[in-house]
């Protein structure tokens, strides 16, 4: 029979899995408390990094409908629950792991899809959502400018052609 503390912990973790659009599992063995504090800061404001108990977290993930992570709950585990841009958090984890090889990215889940450690590193290589949106807006603006120039060119070309025809007719009419 589970204790009330364990049931509350499972309920809280289940809630975090459901409210997050991504979760990344890591092994933190060998990191100091100061390094964990630094890691939490590097993840950004839209992430929560929590050291968890494997059994309780596995139960919580399954209750949240995520059963693809079961094999990753071995050894000391911590989870980064991401509620905002997953690229920012993935970059924070990747960069921190470069400087601190004791942090091992095990894998994770993004919008219900399981991700391997390599896929999380590829996610970290993407540009942020804001940069991608600004590039898209720039592309739309460029296409609108081209369309405006095209629409502007058609009437002026018509006027020039009509004027050339009028001049040609006037010359032919004067020659007769």
């Amino acid at each position: 029979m589970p204790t009330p503390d364990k049931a509350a912990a499972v309920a809280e973790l289940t809630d975090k899995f459901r409210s997050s659009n991504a979760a990344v599992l890591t092994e933190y063995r060998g990191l100091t408390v100061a390094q964990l504090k630094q890691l939490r800061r590097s993840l950004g404001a839209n992430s929560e990094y929590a050291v968890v108990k494997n059994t309780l977290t596995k139960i919580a993930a399954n209750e949240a409908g995520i059963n693809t992570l079961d094999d990753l709950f071995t050894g000391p585990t911590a989870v980064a629950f991401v509620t905002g841009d997953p690229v920012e958090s993935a970059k924070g984890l990747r960069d921190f792991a470069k400087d601190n090889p004791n942090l091992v990215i095990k894998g994770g889940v993004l919008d219900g899809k399981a991700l391997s450690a390599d896929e999380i590193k590829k996610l970290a290589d993407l540009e942020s959502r804001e940069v991608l949106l600004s590039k898209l807006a720039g592309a739309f603006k460029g296409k609108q400018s081209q369309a405006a120039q095209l629409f502007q060119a058609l009437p002026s070309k018509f006027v020039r052609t009509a004027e050339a025809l009028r001049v040609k007719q006037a010359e032919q009419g004067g020659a007769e």
Side-chain angles (χ1 to χ4, degrees), residues 31-157:
L31 293 177
T32 66
V33 174
Q35 288 172 322
L36 286 174
K37 196 174 190 180
Q38 180 186 358
L39 172 59
R40 284 184 175 99
R41 270 191 249 118
S42 70
L43 288 178
N46 63 355
S47 298
E48 182 182 338
Y49 189 73
V51 174
V52 295
K53 293 186 179 275
N54 287 337
T55 307
L56 299 179
T57 309
K58 187 176 186 179
I59 292 168
N62 288 331
E63 284 183 11
I66 302 168
N67 52 13
T68 56
L69 302 175
D70 289 353
D71 297 338
L72 303 177
F73 291 111
T74 57
T77 303
V79 182
F81 294 102
V82 183
T83 54
D85 185 13
V87 174
E88 179 185 350
S89 299
K91 284 181 183 188
L93 285 168
R94 179 199 60 194
D95 295 344
F96 188 86
K98 282 181 185 177
D99 298 336
N100 301 284
N102 288 335
L103 180 74
V104 177
I105 299 172
K106 294 180 179 183
V109 63
L110 174 64
D111 294 328
K113 181 188 176 293
L115 297 176
S116 68
D118 289 334
E119 289 172 324
I120 292 171
K121 289 174 184 167
K122 287 180 186 174
L123 181 65
D125 292 336
L126 289 177
E127 293 175 331
S128 72
R129 183 176 189 271
E130 289 78 20
V131 171
L132 292 174
L133 286 174
S134 65
K135 284 185 176 182
L136 182 64
F140 282 144
K141 183 179 177 187
K143 293 297 179 190
Q144 288 175 342
S145 297
Q146 288 176 346
Q149 289 172 355
L150 176 67
F151 292 136
Q152 213 170 23
L154 289 175
S156 63
K157 189 173 184 180

Side-chain angles (χ1 to χ4, degrees), residues 5-19:
D5 290 342
K6 288 182 181 179
V10 168
E12 182 182 349
L13 288 168
T14 303
D15 223 24
K16 287 182 183 177
F17 274 113
R18 287 186 179 144
S19 64

